[in-house]
Coordinates of all heavy atoms in Angstrom, one line a residue:
M25 N 0.8 -1.2 0.0 CA 0.0 0.0 0.0 C 0.9 1.3 0.0 O 1.8 1.3 0.8 CB -0.9 0.0 1.2 CG -2.0 1.0 1.2 SD -3.0 0.8 2.7 CE -4.6 0.4 1.9
E26 N 0.6 2.2 -0.8 CA 1.4 3.4 -0.9 C 0.9 4.5 0.1 O -0.3 4.6 0.4 CB 1.2 4.0 -2.3 CG 1.9 3.2 -3.4 CD 1.8 3.9 -4.8 OE1 1.8 5.1 -4.8 OE2 1.8 3.2 -5.8
T27 N 1.8 5.3 0.6 CA 1.5 6.3 1.5 C 0.9 7.5 0.6 O 1.5 7.9 -0.3 CB 2.8 6.8 2.2 OG1 3.4 5.7 2.9 CG2 2.4 7.9 3.2
P28 N -0.2 8.0 1.0 CA -0.8 9.2 0.3 C 0.1 10.4 0.3 O 0.8 10.6 1.4 CB -2.1 9.4 0.9 CG -2.1 8.7 2.2 CD -1.0 7.7 2.2
Q29 N 0.3 11.1 -0.8 CA 1.1 12.3 -0.8 C 0.4 13.4 -0.1 O -0.8 13.6 -0.2 CB 1.3 12.6 -2.3 CG 2.4 13.7 -2.5 CD 2.8 13.8 -3.9 OE1 2.4 13.1 -4.8 NE2 3.7 14.8 -4.2
S30 N 1.2 14.2 0.6 CA 0.6 15.3 1.4 C 0.1 16.4 0.4 O 0.6 16.6 -0.6 CB 1.7 15.9 2.2 OG 1.3 17.1 2.9
K31 N -1.1 16.9 0.8 CA -1.7 18.0 0.0 C -1.2 19.4 0.5 O -1.6 20.4 -0.1 CB -3.2 17.9 0.1 CG -3.7 16.7 -0.5 CD -5.2 16.6 -0.6 CE -5.6 15.3 -1.1 NZ -6.8 15.2 -1.7
D32 N -0.3 19.4 1.5 CA 0.2 20.6 2.0 C 1.3 21.2 1.0 O 2.3 20.5 0.8 CB 0.9 20.4 3.4 CG 1.5 21.6 4.0 OD1 1.4 22.7 3.4 OD2 2.1 21.5 5.0
P33 N 1.1 22.3 0.4 CA 2.0 22.8 -0.6 C 3.4 23.1 0.0 O 4.4 23.3 -0.7 CB 1.4 24.1 -1.1 CG 0.4 24.5 -0.1 CD 0.0 23.2 0.6
L34 N 3.5 23.2 1.3 CA 4.8 23.5 2.0 C 5.5 22.2 2.5 O 6.6 22.3 3.0 CB 4.6 24.4 3.2 CG 4.0 25.8 2.8 CD1 3.7 26.6 4.1 CD2 4.9 26.6 1.9
H35 N 4.9 21.1 2.3 CA 5.4 19.8 2.7 C 6.8 19.6 2.1 O 7.0 19.6 0.9 CB 4.5 18.7 2.3 CG 5.0 17.3 2.8 ND1 5.0 16.9 4.1 CD2 5.6 16.3 2.1 CE1 5.5 15.7 4.2 NE2 5.9 15.3 3.0
G36 N 7.8 19.4 2.9 CA 9.2 19.1 2.5 C 9.9 20.4 2.0 O 11.1 20.2 1.5
I37 N 9.4 21.5 2.2 CA 10.1 22.8 1.8 C 10.6 23.5 3.1 O 9.7 23.8 4.0 CB 9.2 23.7 1.0 CG1 8.8 22.9 -0.3 CG2 9.9 25.0 0.6 CD1 7.7 23.7 -1.1
T38 N 11.8 23.8 3.2 CA 12.4 24.4 4.3 C 12.1 25.9 4.3 O 11.9 26.5 3.2 CB 13.9 24.2 4.5 OG1 14.5 24.9 3.3 CG2 14.3 22.8 4.5
L39 N 12.1 26.5 5.5 CA 11.9 28.0 5.6 C 13.0 28.7 4.8 O 12.7 29.7 4.1 CB 11.8 28.4 7.0 CG 11.6 29.9 7.3 CD1 10.2 30.3 6.7 CD2 11.6 30.2 8.8
Q40 N 14.2 28.2 4.9 CA 15.3 28.8 4.1 C 15.0 28.8 2.6 O 15.2 29.8 1.9 CB 16.6 28.1 4.4 CG 17.8 28.7 3.7 CD 19.1 28.1 4.1 OE1 19.2 27.3 5.0 NE2 20.2 28.5 3.4
K41 N 14.5 27.7 2.1 CA 14.2 27.6 0.7 C 13.1 28.6 0.3 O 13.1 29.2 -0.7 CB 13.8 26.2 0.3 CG 13.4 26.0 -1.1 CD 14.5 26.1 -2.0 CE 14.1 25.8 -3.5 NZ 15.1 26.2 -4.4
I42 N 12.1 28.7 1.2 CA 11.0 29.7 1.0 C 11.5 31.1 0.9 O 11.2 31.8 -0.1 CB 9.9 29.5 2.1 CG1 9.2 28.2 1.9 CG2 8.9 30.7 2.0 CD1 8.3 27.9 3.1
V43 N 12.3 31.5 1.8 CA 12.9 32.8 1.9 C 13.8 33.1 0.7 O 13.7 34.1 0.0 CB 13.6 33.1 3.2 CG1 14.3 34.5 3.2 CG2 12.6 33.1 4.4
E44 N 14.7 32.2 0.4 CA 15.6 32.3 -0.8 C 14.8 32.5 -2.1 O 15.1 33.3 -2.9 CB 16.6 31.2 -0.8 CG 17.6 31.2 0.3 CD 18.5 30.0 0.3 OE1 18.2 29.0 -0.3 OE2 19.5 30.0 1.0
T45 N 13.8 31.7 -2.2 CA 13.0 31.7 -3.5 C 12.2 33.0 -3.6 O 12.2 33.6 -4.7 CB 11.9 30.5 -3.5 OG1 12.7 29.3 -3.4 CG2 11.1 30.5 -4.7
L46 N 11.7 33.5 -2.5 CA 11.0 34.8 -2.5 C 11.9 35.9 -2.8 O 11.6 36.9 -3.5 CB 10.2 35.0 -1.2 CG 9.0 34.1 -1.0 CD1 8.4 34.3 0.4 CD2 7.9 34.4 -2.0
V47 N 13.1 35.9 -2.2 CA 14.1 37.0 -2.4 C 14.6 36.9 -3.8 O 14.7 38.0 -4.5 CB 15.3 36.8 -1.4 CG1 16.4 37.7 -1.8 CG2 14.8 37.1 0.0
D48 N 14.8 35.8 -4.4 CA 15.2 35.7 -5.8 C 14.1 36.2 -6.7 O 14.4 36.8 -7.7 CB 15.5 34.2 -6.2 CG 16.8 33.7 -5.6 OD1 17.6 34.5 -5.1 OD2 17.0 32.5 -5.6
Y49 N 12.9 35.9 -6.4 CA 11.8 36.3 -7.3 C 11.4 37.8 -7.1 O 11.3 38.5 -8.1 CB 10.6 35.5 -7.0 CG 9.4 35.7 -8.0 CD1 9.5 35.1 -9.2 CD2 8.3 36.5 -7.6 CE1 8.4 35.3 -10.1 CE2 7.3 36.7 -8.5 CZ 7.4 36.1 -9.8 OH 6.3 36.3 -10.7
Y50 N 11.3 38.3 -5.9 CA 10.8 39.6 -5.6 C 12.0 40.6 -5.3 O 11.9 41.8 -5.6 CB 9.9 39.7 -4.4 CG 8.5 39.0 -4.7 CD1 8.1 37.9 -4.1 CD2 7.6 39.7 -5.6 CE1 6.9 37.3 -4.3 CE2 6.4 39.1 -5.8 CZ 6.0 37.9 -5.2 OH 4.8 37.4 -5.4
G51 N 13.0 40.1 -4.6 CA 14.0 41.1 -4.1 C 13.5 41.6 -2.7 O 12.3 41.5 -2.4
F52 N 14.4 42.0 -1.9 CA 14.1 42.5 -0.5 C 13.2 43.7 -0.6 O 12.3 43.9 0.3 CB 15.3 42.7 0.3 CG 15.8 41.5 1.0 CD1 17.1 41.0 0.6 CD2 15.1 40.8 1.9 CE1 17.6 39.8 1.1 CE2 15.6 39.7 2.5 CZ 16.9 39.2 2.1
D53 N 13.4 44.6 -1.6 CA 12.6 45.9 -1.6 C 11.1 45.5 -1.8 O 10.3 46.1 -1.1 CB 13.1 46.8 -2.7 CG 14.4 47.4 -2.4 OD1 14.8 47.5 -1.3 OD2 15.1 47.8 -3.4
T54 N 10.8 44.7 -2.8 CA 9.4 44.3 -3.0 C 8.8 43.5 -1.9 O 7.7 43.7 -1.5 CB 9.3 43.6 -4.3 OG1 9.8 44.4 -5.4 CG2 7.8 43.3 -4.7
L55 N 9.7 42.6 -1.3 CA 9.2 41.8 -0.2 C 8.8 42.7 1.0 O 7.8 42.5 1.7 CB 10.3 40.9 0.3 CG 10.3 39.5 -0.3 CD1 11.5 38.7 0.3 CD2 9.0 38.7 0.0
A56 N 9.6 43.8 1.2 CA 9.3 44.7 2.3 C 8.0 45.5 2.0 O 7.3 45.8 3.0 CB 10.4 45.7 2.4
E57 N 7.7 45.7 0.8 CA 6.4 46.3 0.4 C 5.2 45.4 0.6 O 4.2 45.7 1.1 CB 6.4 46.8 -1.0 CG 7.3 48.0 -1.2 CD 7.4 48.4 -2.7 OE1 6.5 47.9 -3.5 OE2 8.4 49.1 -3.1
L58 N 5.4 44.1 0.3 CA 4.4 43.1 0.4 C 4.1 42.7 1.8 O 3.0 42.4 2.2 CB 4.7 41.9 -0.5 CG 4.8 42.1 -2.0 CD1 5.3 40.9 -2.7 CD2 3.4 42.5 -2.5
I59 N 5.2 42.5 2.6 CA 5.2 42.1 4.0 C 6.0 43.1 4.8 O 7.3 43.0 4.7 CB 5.7 40.7 4.2 CG1 4.9 39.7 3.3 CG2 5.5 40.3 5.7 CD1 5.5 38.3 3.3
N60 N 5.4 44.0 5.4 CA 6.2 45.1 6.1 C 6.7 44.6 7.5 O 6.1 44.8 8.5 CB 5.3 46.3 6.3 CG 6.0 47.5 6.8 OD1 7.3 47.5 6.8 ND2 5.3 48.5 7.3
I61 N 7.8 43.9 7.4 CA 8.5 43.5 8.7 C 9.9 43.9 8.6 O 10.5 44.0 7.5 CB 8.3 41.9 8.9 CG1 8.8 41.1 7.7 CG2 6.9 41.6 9.3 CD1 8.7 39.6 7.9
K62 N 10.4 44.2 9.7 CA 11.8 44.9 9.8 C 12.9 44.0 9.2 O 13.8 44.6 8.6 CB 12.1 45.1 11.3 CG 13.2 46.1 11.5 CD 13.4 46.5 12.9 CE 14.5 47.5 13.1 NZ 14.6 48.0 14.5
C63 N 12.8 42.7 9.3 CA 13.9 41.9 8.7 C 14.0 42.0 7.2 O 15.0 41.7 6.6 CB 13.7 40.4 9.1 SG 12.3 39.6 8.4
F64 N 12.9 42.6 6.5 CA 13.0 42.8 5.1 C 13.2 44.3 4.8 O 13.6 44.6 3.7 CB 11.6 42.4 4.4 CG 11.3 41.0 4.4 CD1 10.0 40.5 4.4 CD2 12.3 40.0 4.5 CE1 9.7 39.2 4.4 CE2 12.0 38.6 4.5 CZ 10.7 38.2 4.5
T65 N 13.1 45.2 5.8 CA 13.2 46.6 5.5 C 14.6 47.2 6.0 O 15.1 48.1 5.3 CB 12.1 47.4 6.2 OG1 12.1 47.2 7.6 CG2 10.7 47.0 5.6
T66 N 15.1 46.7 7.0 CA 16.4 47.2 7.6 C 17.5 46.2 7.5 O 17.4 45.2 8.2 CB 16.1 47.6 9.1 OG1 15.0 48.5 9.1 CG2 17.3 48.3 9.7
N67 N 18.5 46.5 6.8 CA 19.7 45.7 6.6 C 19.2 44.2 6.3 O 19.6 43.3 7.0 CB 20.6 45.7 7.8 CG 21.2 47.1 8.0 OD1 21.6 47.8 7.0 ND2 21.3 47.5 9.2
P68 N 18.5 44.0 5.3 CA 17.9 42.6 5.1 C 19.0 41.6 4.6 O 19.9 42.0 3.8 CB 16.9 42.8 4.0 CG 17.4 44.0 3.2 CD 18.0 44.9 4.2
S69 N 18.8 40.4 5.1 CA 19.6 39.3 4.6 C 18.8 38.0 4.8 O 17.9 38.0 5.7 CB 21.0 39.2 5.4 OG 20.8 38.8 6.7
V70 N 19.2 37.0 4.1 CA 18.4 35.7 4.3 C 18.7 35.2 5.7 O 17.7 34.8 6.4 CB 18.9 34.7 3.3 CG1 18.3 33.3 3.6 CG2 18.5 35.1 1.9
K71 N 19.9 35.3 6.2 CA 20.2 34.8 7.6 C 19.4 35.6 8.7 O 18.8 34.9 9.5 CB 21.7 35.0 7.8 CG 22.1 34.4 9.2 CD 23.6 34.5 9.4 CE 24.0 33.9 10.7 NZ 25.4 34.0 11.0
S72 N 19.4 36.9 8.6 CA 18.7 37.6 9.6 C 17.2 37.4 9.5 O 16.5 37.3 10.5 CB 19.0 39.1 9.6 OG 18.5 39.7 8.4
S73 N 16.7 37.3 8.3 CA 15.3 37.0 8.1 C 14.9 35.6 8.7 O 13.9 35.5 9.3 CB 14.9 37.0 6.6 OG 15.2 38.3 6.1
L74 N 15.7 34.6 8.5 CA 15.4 33.3 9.0 C 15.4 33.3 10.5 O 14.6 32.7 11.1 CB 16.5 32.3 8.5 CG 16.4 31.9 7.0 CD1 17.6 31.1 6.6 CD2 15.1 31.2 6.8
T75 N 16.4 34.0 11.1 CA 16.4 34.1 12.6 C 15.1 34.7 13.1 O 14.5 34.2 14.0 CB 17.6 35.0 13.0 OG1 18.8 34.4 12.5 CG2 17.7 35.1 14.5
F76 N 14.7 35.8 12.5 CA 13.4 36.4 12.9 C 12.2 35.6 12.7 O 11.4 35.4 13.6 CB 13.3 37.8 12.2 CG 12.0 38.5 12.6 CD1 11.8 39.1 13.8 CD2 10.9 38.5 11.7 CE1 10.6 39.7 14.1 CE2 9.7 39.1 12.0 CZ 9.6 39.7 13.2
L77 N 12.1 35.0 11.5 CA 10.9 34.2 11.1 C 10.8 33.0 11.9 O 9.7 32.5 12.2 CB 10.9 33.9 9.6 CG 10.8 35.1 8.7 CD1 11.1 34.7 7.3 CD2 9.5 35.8 8.9
R78 N 11.9 32.4 12.3 CA 11.8 31.2 13.2 C 11.3 31.4 14.6 O 10.8 30.6 15.2 CB 13.2 30.5 13.2 CG 13.6 29.8 11.9 CD 14.9 29.1 12.0 NE 15.2 28.5 10.8 CZ 16.4 28.5 10.1 NH1 17.4 29.2 10.6 NH2 16.5 27.9 9.0
K79 N 11.5 32.7 15.0 CA 11.0 33.1 16.4 C 9.6 33.7 16.4 O 9.0 33.8 17.4 CB 12.0 34.1 17.0 CG 13.4 33.5 17.2 CD 14.3 34.6 17.8 CE 15.7 34.1 18.0 NZ 16.6 35.1 18.5
T80 N 9.2 34.1 15.2 CA 8.0 34.9 15.1 C 6.9 34.2 14.2 O 7.0 34.4 13.0 CB 8.3 36.3 14.6 OG1 9.5 36.8 15.2 CG2 7.1 37.3 14.8
D81 N 6.0 33.6 14.9 CA 5.0 32.7 14.2 C 4.2 33.5 13.2 O 4.0 33.1 12.0 CB 4.2 32.0 15.2 CG 3.3 30.9 14.6 OD1 3.9 30.1 13.8 OD2 2.1 30.9 14.8
W82 N 3.7 34.7 13.6 CA 2.8 35.5 12.7 C 3.5 35.9 11.4 O 2.9 35.9 10.4 CB 2.1 36.6 13.4 CG 3.1 37.7 13.9 CD1 3.7 37.8 15.1 CD2 3.6 38.8 13.1 NE1 4.6 38.9 15.2 CE2 4.5 39.5 13.9 CE3 3.4 39.2 11.8 CZ2 5.2 40.6 13.5 CZ3 4.1 40.3 11.4 CH2 5.0 41.0 12.2
A83 N 4.8 36.3 11.6 CA 5.5 36.7 10.4 C 5.8 35.6 9.5 O 5.7 35.7 8.3 CB 6.8 37.4 10.9
R84 N 6.2 34.4 10.1 CA 6.5 33.2 9.3 C 5.2 32.8 8.5 O 5.3 32.5 7.3 CB 6.9 32.1 10.1 CG 7.4 30.9 9.3 CD 7.8 29.7 10.1 NE 6.5 29.0 10.6 CZ 6.2 29.0 11.9 NH1 6.9 29.5 12.8 NH2 5.1 28.4 12.2
K85 N 4.1 32.9 9.1 CA 2.8 32.6 8.4 C 2.6 33.5 7.2 O 2.1 33.1 6.1 CB 1.6 32.6 9.4 CG 1.6 31.4 10.3 CD 0.4 31.5 11.2 CE 0.5 30.5 12.3 NZ 0.2 29.1 12.1
K86 N 2.9 34.8 7.4 CA 2.7 35.7 6.2 C 3.6 35.4 5.1 O 3.2 35.5 3.9 CB 2.9 37.2 6.7 CG 1.8 37.7 7.5 CD 2.0 39.2 7.8 CE 0.8 39.7 8.6 NZ 0.7 41.2 8.5
V87 N 4.9 35.0 5.4 CA 5.8 34.7 4.4 C 5.4 33.4 3.7 O 5.4 33.3 2.5 CB 7.2 34.5 5.0 CG1 8.2 33.9 4.0 CG2 7.7 35.9 5.5
E88 N 4.9 32.4 4.5 CA 4.5 31.1 3.9 C 3.2 31.4 3.0 O 3.1 30.8 1.9 CB 4.1 30.1 5.0 CG 5.4 29.6 5.7 CD 5.0 28.8 6.9 OE1 3.9 28.8 7.4 OE2 5.9 28.1 7.4
Q89 N 2.3 32.3 3.4 CA 1.2 32.6 2.6 C 1.5 33.2 1.3 O 1.0 32.9 0.2 CB 0.2 33.4 3.4 CG -0.5 32.7 4.5 CD -1.3 33.7 5.4 OE1 -1.2 34.9 5.3 NE2 -2.1 33.1 6.3
L90 N 2.5 34.1 1.3 CA 3.0 34.8 0.1 C 3.6 33.7 -0.8 O 3.4 33.8 -2.0 CB 4.0 35.9 0.4 CG 4.6 36.6 -0.8 CD1 3.5 37.3 -1.6 CD2 5.6 37.6 -0.4
Y91 N 4.4 32.8 -0.3 CA 5.0 31.8 -1.1 C 4.0 30.9 -1.8 O 4.1 30.7 -3.0 CB 5.9 30.9 -0.2 CG 6.6 29.8 -0.9 CD1 7.8 30.1 -1.6 CD2 6.1 28.5 -0.9 CE1 8.4 29.0 -2.3 CE2 6.7 27.5 -1.5 CZ 7.9 27.8 -2.2 OH 8.6 26.8 -2.9
I92 N 2.9 30.5 -1.0 CA 1.9 29.7 -1.6 C 1.1 30.5 -2.7 O 0.9 29.9 -3.8 CB 0.9 29.2 -0.5 CG1 1.6 28.2 0.4 CG2 -0.3 28.6 -1.1 CD1 0.8 27.9 1.7
K93 N 0.9 31.7 -2.4 CA 0.2 32.6 -3.4 C 1.0 32.8 -4.7 O 0.4 32.9 -5.8 CB -0.1 33.9 -2.7 CG -0.9 34.9 -3.6 CD -1.1 36.2 -2.8 CE -1.1 37.4 -3.7 NZ -1.2 38.6 -2.9
T94 N 2.3 32.8 -4.5 CA 3.2 33.1 -5.7 C 3.7 31.8 -6.4 O 4.2 31.9 -7.4 CB 4.4 33.9 -5.1 OG1 3.9 35.0 -4.3 CG2 5.2 34.5 -6.3
L95 N 3.4 30.6 -5.8 CA 3.9 29.4 -6.4 C 3.6 29.2 -7.9 O 4.5 28.9 -8.6 CB 3.2 28.2 -5.7 CG 4.0 27.5 -4.5 CD1 3.1 26.4 -3.9 CD2 5.3 27.0 -4.9
P96 N 2.4 29.5 -8.4 CA 2.2 29.4 -9.8 C 3.2 30.2 -10.7 O 3.6 29.8 -11.8 CB 0.8 29.8 -10.0 CG 0.1 29.7 -8.7 CD 1.2 29.9 -7.7
K97 N 3.6 31.4 -10.2 CA 4.5 32.3 -10.9 C 5.9 31.7 -11.0 O 6.7 32.0 -11.9 CB 4.6 33.6 -10.2 CG 3.2 34.3 -10.3 CD 3.3 35.7 -9.6 CE 1.9 36.3 -9.5 NZ 1.9 37.6 -8.8
F98 N 6.3 30.9 -10.0 CA 7.7 30.3 -9.9 C 7.8 29.3 -11.1 O 9.0 29.1 -11.5 CB 8.0 29.6 -8.6 CG 7.9 30.5 -7.4 CD1 7.4 30.1 -6.2 CD2 8.4 31.8 -7.5 CE1 7.4 30.9 -5.1 CE2 8.4 32.7 -6.4 CZ 7.9 32.2 -5.2
N99 N 6.8 28.7 -11.5 CA 6.9 27.6 -12.5 C 6.9 28.1 -13.9 O 6.8 27.3 -14.8 CB 5.7 26.6 -12.2 CG 5.8 25.9 -10.9 OD1 6.9 25.6 -10.4 ND2 4.7 25.7 -10.2
R100 N 6.9 29.4 -14.1 CA 6.9 29.9 -15.5 C 8.3 29.9 -16.1 O 9.3 29.8 -15.5 CB 6.4 31.4 -15.5 CG 5.0 31.5 -15.1 CD 4.5 32.9 -15.3 NE 3.2 33.0 -14.8 CZ 2.6 34.1 -14.5 NH1 3.2 35.2 -14.7 NH2 1.3 34.1 -14.1

């Protein structure tokens, strides 16, 4: 019997991969406009963003929601 595949679009994707993909696609300037959090507006880096997002549940959820919303654009 096969294990059913997860329907969660974030299954198997690390937070680091999410942030790097969004930064590559949008850049920090646009990310800061879309999600107004300090880790994207003041001296942004992937490392500092990951540190903040791992500690801040509400901010991580916003980043994950943007990633899910933008998924179809990544496949172009």
Side-chain angles (χ1 to χ4, degrees):
M25 194 177 242
E26 292 183 28
T27 305
Q29 192 169 353
S30 175
K31 294 184 185 203
D32 179 5
L34 299 175
H35 180 76
I37 300 173
T38 64
L39 183 58
Q40 181 172 352
K41 178 67 175 168
I42 291 171
V43 172
E44 288 173 346
T45 302
L46 290 172
V47 169
D48 288 345
Y49 188 77
Y50 290 112
F52 278 111
D53 290 338
T54 303
L55 267 179
E57 291 175 15
L58 295 170
I59 305 172
N60 188 14
I61 52 178
K62 195 171 183 177
C63 68
F64 294 152
T65 60
T66 307
N67 296 322
S69 72
V70 171
K71 183 177 179 182
S72 65
S73 298
L74 289 172
T75 300
F76 176 75
L77 294 171
R78 287 181 177 134
K79 295 178 183 177
T80 315
D81 193 48
W82 64 265
R84 187 184 76 247
K85 287 183 192 280
K86 286 187 175 201
V87 170
E88 289 172 345
Q89 289 171 349
L90 177 62
Y91 180 81
I92 291 168
K93 180 178 149 188
T94 312
L95 266 176
K97 296 177 185 177
F98 297 142
N99 296 323
R100 290 184 186 167

